[in-house]
Amino acid sequence: MGRREDIEAELALQDRAVERHERKIAKAIKDAMLQVATELRATLNPDLPFDHFRRIEEAMGDLYRDVTRSMAASMIDRFKAGFEYLETKDDNEGFYERIWQEYLNQYGGTRIAQISETTRRQIVALIDKGLRDGLSLDEIAGEIRMRAPDMSALRAHTIARTETHSASMYASLQSAKQSTVELLKEWVSVEDSRTRDFGEGDGV
């Protein structure tokens, strides 16, 4: 398989991961917006649902595990000679889990917190705009309910796309580093409009 084919396969892997995970992320965000709208009469500064962070944490943890595992497996398959020390299925499983846990510990927690905070700020911005426009609380709640499906779907797609690429880059690099042969000169990141350093995900 040539380099162009490798790039296309990597992008296809990322696209499939986005499709698998964005709906769960979108539902968590939409449900948070709808609950805030329901509680708006009681307080102008409603908190996110108490389980929102947990749901985002679960959704993103699943995404990170899926992506790092898939990309590490792809690297092992493409560069078999460098991973001959992975002799059993358990060896491979341990390799995948280690990369996932390292990414989650180094970057995942920050991303998850950013996603939840951005949701809170966007809801507050909708409330503030409604108040400036002279809307009643019921009208503001209605605006939030109306916008929740589209806003959550758009954000979820952006989050899934950004975080899939970041986790993929990390898994590729760490796999290359743990190969017993020199891969870093042979392996390079996908240079397209999605490319970013894995440490720069914005958790939008």
Side-chain angles (χ1 to χ4, degrees), residues 85-97:
Y85 65 92
L86 300 175
E87 298 177 349
T88 68
K89 183 177 179 180
D90 285 344
D91 290 340
N92 282 31
E93 290 295 326
F95 186 86
Y96 304 147
E97 289 293 301

Side-chain angles (χ1 to χ4, degrees), residues 7 10 22 36 38 42 44 62 75-76 99 119 137 198 200:
I7 291 173
E10 184 175 328
E22 64 181 331
V36 167
T38 298
L44 282 175
D62 289 347
M75 291 290 289
I76 291 171
I99 290 178
T119 298
L137 294 183
F198 57 76
E200 296 178 355

Side-chain angles (χ1 to χ4, degrees), residues 53-156:
F53 186 89
R54 177 191 60 76
R55 291 178 63 185
I56 292 295
E57 183 177 43
E58 179 181 297
M60 298 311 300
D62 289 347
L63 181 150
Y64 295 143
R65 186 177 191 181
D66 181 17
V67 172
T68 54
R69 179 189 184 91
S70 296
M71 186 53 63
S74 176
M75 291 290 289
I76 291 171
D77 185 61
R78 285 163 55 192
F79 303 106
K80 293 181 177 63
F83 300 96
E84 290 181 348
Y85 65 92
L86 300 175
E87 298 177 349
T88 68
K89 183 177 179 180
D90 285 344
D91 290 340
N92 282 31
E93 290 295 326
F95 186 86
Y96 304 147
E97 289 293 301
R98 184 167 64 254
I99 290 178
W100 170 55
Q101 287 290 344
E102 288 173 354
Y103 186 81
L104 195 62
N105 291 338
Q106 291 183 49
Y107 302 104
T110 299
R111 302 284 205 276
I112 292 163
Q114 288 173 338
I115 290 166
S116 296
E117 174 59 18
T118 298
T119 298
R120 187 194 67 78
R121 287 191 285 105
Q122 288 189 338
I123 294 171
V124 169
L126 287 174
I127 295 171
D128 287 346
K129 183 179 185 304
L131 292 173
R132 290 195 306 271
D133 291 344
L135 301 181
S136 68
L137 294 183
D138 283 343
E139 288 171 328
I140 295 172
E143 180 73 9
I144 294 172
R145 291 190 190 96
M146 180 183 71
R147 298 191 62 181
D150 288 344
M151 284 183 65
S152 60
L154 179 60
R155 279 199 62 222

